[in-house]
């Protein structure tokens, strides 16, 4: 079997990070078999090396190797591209055409961006993978082919399956062996090596002296998240080689090209494994915001708990009561129809299971578990209903005023009115 180093040299692969070595080693190992391989990894991590290694190290190496970018072919023509078509199959089909699966017979097809395949094409692909059989578009004649498939994706396939965009059976069929390519930010040690390699390549290409990294620039790059991975680093070196006068690159210069703000999404992404497309970055920013909000809420709970403790024997203002109710009501009121809206007086709130539990646990507010007995819930519900009736009466049915008085949103009030059949 070919050794790792000679593969790296042959394909121009730079890096020594163990996860990268393992991925390459796995490709070498599965190459002589006909097993389907799915390569996963963010955009720009070097997924395209894997099918090349697999084909080049297999018995098929003298047969065709075809790369199909599934995301770049329009939905209307992809079946015809992959499986061919008969003359007259559709407008413009003036002659019979062979598809890639026929042309690549005996060889390998690399299905790049396989997550983008339309569902109807996925059905055809599953059939050819399972039985080697396919039909040209517009034909009813079954043909046979012998093609090895390597597929790649930078989208989260499990999510695509959940969303109904990708067939689960096809996913498992493609994914007989999975090879994960690590993100650049997870292999910091390789960043300087890659920079040097690209600096040499582009110096030669543009007949310029090589760029050199100052120490602070190495540090900057090693802490930059590289959402575009190696492709981004490569483009950066190319641009700087051409544009910059000074050959010594420092962190200030780098910051002009890859500013620090863009680090946020990927800092959060760290260790997420796959995909750094815009959707994921945004989603992860949202997670971060939600996470921060949760922390804020916990702080608020602690604060409120302190307030309760310190003010146990004194009267609480109307506003304070409302705040306490809102903070200690489980989740949102909308999720719990028995949630407590409002306590009419201090005694009621002290007797309620919600607050007594909170009082016991005020030192460990985060672990508060709300326990409501059915009885409590019923009496609280009655109180809640009565209060709403009173507030509506007082404001002659004007719901906005009643909601204000009760310290709840109008939407919550509408829901409660419905819940208690108070609509008339
Ligand atoms: N380890 C590496 N050593 C040298 N060059 C690399 C390495 N990894 C990636 N590259 C280079 O980075 C660029 C991007 O790699 P590639 O096209 O394989 O990315 P990809 O994972 O297929 O991304 P996408 O999902 O966007 O298609 C290519 O120019 C490739 O040659
Ligand atoms: Mg690619």
């Amino acid at each position: 079997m070919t050794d790792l180093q000679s593969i790296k040299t042959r394909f121009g692969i730079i890096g020594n990070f163990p996860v990268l070595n393992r991925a390459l080693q796995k490709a070498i190992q599965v190459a002589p078999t006909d097993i389907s391989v799915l390569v996963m990894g963010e955009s720009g991590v070097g997924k395209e090396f894997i099918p090349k290694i697999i084909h080049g190290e297999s018995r098929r190496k003298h047969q065709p190797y075809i790369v199909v970018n599934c995301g770049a072919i329009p939905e209307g023509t992809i079946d015809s591209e992959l499986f061919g078509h008969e003359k007259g199959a559709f407008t413009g089909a003036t002659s019979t055409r062979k598809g890639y699966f026929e042309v690549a017979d005996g060889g390998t097809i690399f299905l790049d961006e396989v997550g983008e395949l339309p569902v109807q094409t996925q059905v055809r692909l599953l059939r050819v993978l399972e039985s080697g059989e396919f039909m040209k578009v517009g034909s009813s004649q079954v043909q046979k082919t012998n093609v090895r498939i390597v597929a790649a994706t930078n989208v989260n396939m499990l999510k695509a399956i959940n969303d109904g965009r990708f067939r689960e059976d096809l996913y498992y069929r493609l994914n007989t062996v999975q090879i994960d390519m690590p993100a650049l930010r997870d292999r910091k040690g390789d960043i300087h090596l890659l920079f040097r390699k690209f600096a040499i390549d582009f110096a030669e290409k543009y007949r310029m002296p090589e760029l050199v990294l100052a120490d602070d620039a190495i540090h900057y790059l090693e802490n930059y998240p590289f959402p575009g991975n190696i492709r981004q680093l490569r483009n950066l070196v190319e641009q700087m080689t051409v544009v910059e006068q000074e050959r010594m690159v420092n962190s200030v210069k780098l910051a002009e090209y890859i500013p620090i703000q863009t680090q946020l999404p990927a800092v959060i992404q760290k260790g997420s494994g796959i995909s750094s497309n815009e959707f994921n970055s945004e989603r992860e920013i949202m997670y971060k915001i939600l996470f921060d909000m949760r922390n804020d809420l916990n702080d608020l709970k602690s604060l409120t708990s302190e307030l309760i403790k310190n003010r146990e024997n004194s009267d609480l203002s109307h506003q304070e009561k409302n705040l306490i109710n809102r903070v200690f009501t489980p989740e949102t009121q909308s999720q719990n129809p028995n949630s407590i809206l409002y306590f009419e007086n201090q005694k009621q709130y002290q007797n309620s299971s919600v607050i007594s539990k909170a009082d016991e646990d005020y030192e460990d507010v985060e672990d508060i578990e709300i326990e409501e007995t059915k009885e409590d819930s019923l009496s609280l519900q009655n109180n809640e209903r009565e209060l709403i009736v009173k507030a509506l009466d007082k404001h002659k049915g004007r719901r906005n005023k009643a909601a204000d008085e009760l310290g709840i949103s109008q939407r919550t009030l509408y829901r409660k009115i419905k819940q208690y059949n108070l609509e008339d």
Side-chain angles (χ1 to χ4, degrees), residues 193-243:
L193 279 178
L194 281 157
F195 188 98
R196 282 208 297 258
K197 146 100 167 107
F198 296 141
I200 293 168
D201 288 353
F202 290 119
E204 199 178 300
K205 181 172 175 188
Y206 296 108
R207 296 172 195 282
M208 307 272 274
E210 273 166 53
L211 292 178
V212 180
L213 284 177
D215 284 349
D216 67 327
I218 298 172
H219 182 76
Y220 189 96
L221 286 182
E222 285 178 352
N223 287 288
Y224 182 77
F226 282 106
N229 291 291
I230 299 154
R231 182 181 292 116
Q232 187 186 6
L233 177 62
R234 190 173 179 276
N235 292 348
L236 172 77
V237 182
E238 181 167 21
Q239 267 192 70
M240 292 187 90
T241 302
V242 178
V243 174

Side-chain angles (χ1 to χ4, degrees), residues 172-192:
Y172 287 114
R173 188 64 189 72
L174 290 171
N175 194 15
T176 315
V177 166
Q178 182 175 318
I179 296 184
D180 294 304
M181 294 295 278
L184 185 55
R185 82 186 74 85
D186 293 332
R187 34 184 288 217
K188 291 185 193 306
D190 288 346
I191 292 178
H192 195 188

Side-chain angles (χ1 to χ4, degrees), residues 254-283:
L254 283 176
E256 287 174 20
Y257 288 81
I258 45 172
I260 212 90
Q261 295 94 290
T262 58
Q263 294 196 12
L264 176 65
V267 167
I268 302 157
Q269 267 179 16
K270 193 174 181 333
S272 68
I274 57 161
S275 77
S276 74
N277 57 31
E278 272 167 30
F279 169 73
N280 271 349
S281 302
E282 272 172 35
R283 192 181 59 187

Side-chain angles (χ1 to χ4, degrees), residues 12-14 43-49 154 194 230-231 234:
I13 301 170
I14 305 295
S43 184
V45 287
K47 294 189 290 297
E48 283 168 40
F49 287 126
N154 60 22
L194 281 157
I230 299 154
R231 182 181 292 116
R234 190 173 179 276

